[in-house]
Amino acid sequence: MQIRFAVPADPAYPARVAAALAAARLRRFGYIGAALAAIGVIGWIASRASARFASLWTALIVAGVLSMLYAPWVRWRARRRSGGYAVEGGYDIDDRNIMMRSGSESGGIAWDGVARVTETPDFWIVYVGRMPATVIPRWLMSAEDAGTLRAFMAERRLLGGH
């Protein structure tokens, strides 16, 4: 397998990458926030007759809502701050490595170090251990290359859910 493609110097591209990586890292804050808010609402409704724990339930509701709003805030900030990082780059993907080039910088990830790969509408998010390490932009690849890479990742059992 030998896949090569270019990444244009599009100001929107770094923002899309930052948003995809932030979403992958911060998904749990939404779940935790929803659980805290639900517990707070249930506790507040159950103890309406007694104002004894009202501040505790209110604090849980507020903490839950803030936790749910944290991920969208981080994604918005990442999009806003990364717009100035647009440089030409490219990917060179083979059976051993994912090599990325961005401007004068380059780096790579060995497939042996990849724990899993998840899909979003625009990217494959590559995880090393539990952390998302990089993304592979599917829309910049030819359909044939995308199919080849998908088959390679499926064969290695890397494609997985969230």
Side-chain angles (χ1 to χ4, degrees):
M1 172 180 71
Q2 184 68 38
I3 299 171
R4 283 191 174 131
F5 60 95
V7 177
D10 177 10
Y13 178 75
R16 290 171 77 177
V17 170
L21 289 173
R25 287 185 192 121
L26 300 172
R27 185 171 290 117
R28 69 177 164 257
F29 286 100
Y31 298 142
I32 292 168
L36 287 174
I39 291 168
V41 168
I42 291 168
W44 189 75
I45 290 171
S47 70
R48 273 182 47 181
S50 168
R52 188 172 174 188
F53 294 108
S55 62
L56 170 67
W57 304 124
T58 303
L60 281 175
I61 294 169
V62 170
V65 170
L66 290 176
S67 182
M68 287 187 290
L69 293 175
Y70 179 67
W73 176 74
V74 169
R75 282 193 302 269
W76 171 78
R77 254 185 102 212
R79 280 189 180 117
R80 194 182 65 144
R81 293 176 65 199
S82 64
Y85 299 125
V87 294
E88 288 184 9
Y91 284 78
D92 188 2
I93 303 170
D94 60 28
D95 295 348
R96 292 177 292 145
N97 300 307
I98 305 166
M99 295 300 295
M100 299 143 300
R101 180 181 36 79
S102 179
S104 63
E105 302 290 321
S106 65
I109 298 172
W111 282 111
D112 289 340
V114 174
R116 67 185 171 109
V117 178
T118 60
E119 296 182 272
T120 69
D122 295 331
F123 299 101
W124 279 305
I125 300 174
V126 178
Y127 286 78
V128 173
R130 293 179 50 181
M131 294 298 295
T134 192
V135 297
I136 301 173
R138 294 189 313 208
W139 82 93
L140 294 175
M141 303 172 72
S142 70
E144 181 181 321
D145 285 346
T148 301
L149 185 55
R150 175 185 292 282
F152 174 79
M153 291 186 296
E155 180 182 309
R156 292 185 75 133
R157 297 192 171 138
L158 294 173
L159 289 176
H162 303 290

